[in-house]
Amino acid sequence: MQPTTQIPIDDWNQAVAQEMQQATLAALEDGQVLFFPKLAFKLTDGESRFLTPDLVGDSKNVSYHFGTRKIGHCACAEADKPAVAEMMHRFCGQAKALVENLLPAYKPRLAMGRASLRPVEASGRAQSWRKDDTRLHVDSFPTTPLNGKRILRVFTNVNLIGRPRSWRIGEPFGQVAARFAPNVRPPAPGALTLMQLFRVTRGRRSLYDHYMLGLHDAMKANDDYQRTCPQSTFDFPALSTWITFTDSVPHAVPAGQHQFEQTFYLEVEGMAQPDKSPLRILEKQLGRNLRN
């Protein structure tokens, strides 16, 4: 199976026929990356000056929350921050429209998370293996427990000189779980509660979050797995967009610069096939309930 499914949409607000809605939802839940080769996020006059690593200083991305209009990690001049925020707000709105038109069945159980702008080159950044996104991994958040919610992300490549965003796409999540989950140690008694008490986490970390973090770390730490596991490569061209569940699709970003990204959170019960969620796959693999 090819890791991507091509979608012929070129307008963020485009109405989508029911047949396409059903086909794309099925492909997404089967572990595909939805690829929109003709869907570009268009910058307005003057916004291209923000596509510079100087925008983030020592951070790797600018963050933005659509609901609160709060911008973070932006190292630009104070006078430029409203323009950066407006640019990111426009992207968030377009990503929201795309997801709601393409995947309307998710809307009742879908919530918007933060967006980001990543103007820094992905390759060659000095960082620990745990934070190294050039290594195959599934997404999981150490400080923000999700308790089984899915991580759905919209990406768009805005590179102005035509450079692609390169991805490596790994094996199905069920194979990842079978390979790594049995070796993840259970948390020590009381550890999850103590993390919340001492504000290591925003809320109580569930067993699901514990095991997902274990998979994330085990994948990244295993050099042999990184080299030899089943995987394919795909270059997302400049001025293209893609969507996938990053908690179940193993991915790595060897190279690329200038990307917008919007995160959504979907409750497992909002899926057409909940049994294909990481929560259900891990619960079956480990033989226990992983929610709080």
Side-chain angles (χ1 to χ4, degrees):
M1 180 183 294
Q2 293 296 317
T4 61
T5 295
Q6 189 165 309
I7 311 294
I9 287 178
D10 59 7
D11 186 331
W12 295 88
N13 296 293
Q14 182 173 325
V16 180
Q18 186 175 8
E19 184 178 354
M20 181 179 287
Q21 293 173 9
Q22 294 172 345
T24 54
L25 185 146
L28 194 62
E29 295 190 0
D30 279 342
Q32 293 280 294
V33 180
L34 306 182
F35 172 46
F36 306 80
K38 297 182 179 180
L39 184 60
F41 177 63
K42 298 176 182 178
L43 302 178
T44 62
D45 291 344
E47 288 180 342
S48 60
R49 75 185 193 277
F50 298 133
L51 298 187
T52 168
D54 294 340
L55 187 70
V56 296
D58 294 333
S59 300
K60 71 176 182 179
N61 60 265
V62 174
S63 65
Y64 184 80
H65 195 282
F66 184 73
T68 63
R69 291 180 175 260
K70 183 177 180 181
I71 192 168
H73 307 293
C74 186
C76 69
E78 285 297 320
D80 283 333
K81 283 188 177 180
V84 176
E86 175 57 32
M87 175 179 66
M88 298 199 67
H89 193 80
R90 191 173 75 255
F91 166 70
C92 293
Q94 293 184 356
K96 181 174 183 289
L98 174 66
V99 168
E100 290 180 350
N101 286 326
L102 187 66
L103 304 163
Y106 286 166
K107 188 174 179 179
R109 293 179 177 269
L110 195 70
M112 286 186 78
R114 291 181 180 177
S116 66
L117 167 58
R118 300 192 176 199
V120 180
E121 170 58 47
S123 65
R125 296 184 71 239
Q127 54 196 327
S128 69
W129 62 265
R130 189 173 276 110
K131 295 182 179 180
D132 185 358
D133 289 342
T134 68
R135 301 176 74 82
L136 279 168
H137 63 285
V138 290
D139 283 349
S140 184
F141 304 138
T143 61
T144 306
L146 295 181
N147 201 23
K149 290 180 182 177
R150 305 300 315 274
I151 303 173
L152 179 67
R153 283 182 157 160
V154 178
F155 305 89
T156 191
N157 181 357
V158 293
N159 192 283
L160 296 179
I161 60 172
R163 288 191 60 207
R165 187 87 174 177
S166 297
W167 269 34
R168 293 160 55 212
I169 301 172
E171 61 188 344
F173 183 82
Q175 295 177 26
V176 174
R179 189 189 299 257
F180 291 110
N183 296 322
V184 177
R185 293 183 179 180
L192 304 182
T193 300
L194 288 173
M195 286 181 183
Q196 180 183 10
L197 181 64
F198 289 99
R199 299 183 179 180
V200 175
T201 57
R202 301 184 185 98
R204 189 178 186 278
R205 181 182 290 178
S206 66
L207 284 174
Y208 170 78
D209 296 292
H210 172 84
Y211 281 99
M212 285 295 290
L213 283 167
L215 293 187
H216 172 279
D217 289 356
M219 293 172 72
K220 282 191 173 181
N222 191 317
D223 290 337
D224 183 65
Y225 178 76
Q226 293 292 323
R227 289 191 305 269
T228 65
C229 74
Q231 58 188 281
S232 58
T233 60
F234 194 89
D235 286 345
F236 294 97
L239 307 182
S240 72
T241 296
W242 59 105
I243 301 175
T244 198
F245 282 117
T246 58
D247 55 349
S248 62
V249 175
H251 58 287
V253 188
Q257 187 176 12
H258 306 312
Q259 172 192 268
F260 283 87
E261 172 188 316
Q262 173 66 57
T263 297
F264 296 88
Y265 300 114
L266 176 68
E267 296 176 16
V268 168
E269 290 76 13
M271 295 179 63
Q273 302 179 80
D275 286 347
K276 293 187 175 182
S277 68
L279 173 67
R280 299 292 185 231
I281 291 171
L282 282 173
E283 286 183 332
K284 184 177 181 180
Q285 172 73 35
L286 299 170
R288 63 186 304 182
N289 184 348
L290 297 181
R291 279 178 163 170
N292 286 335

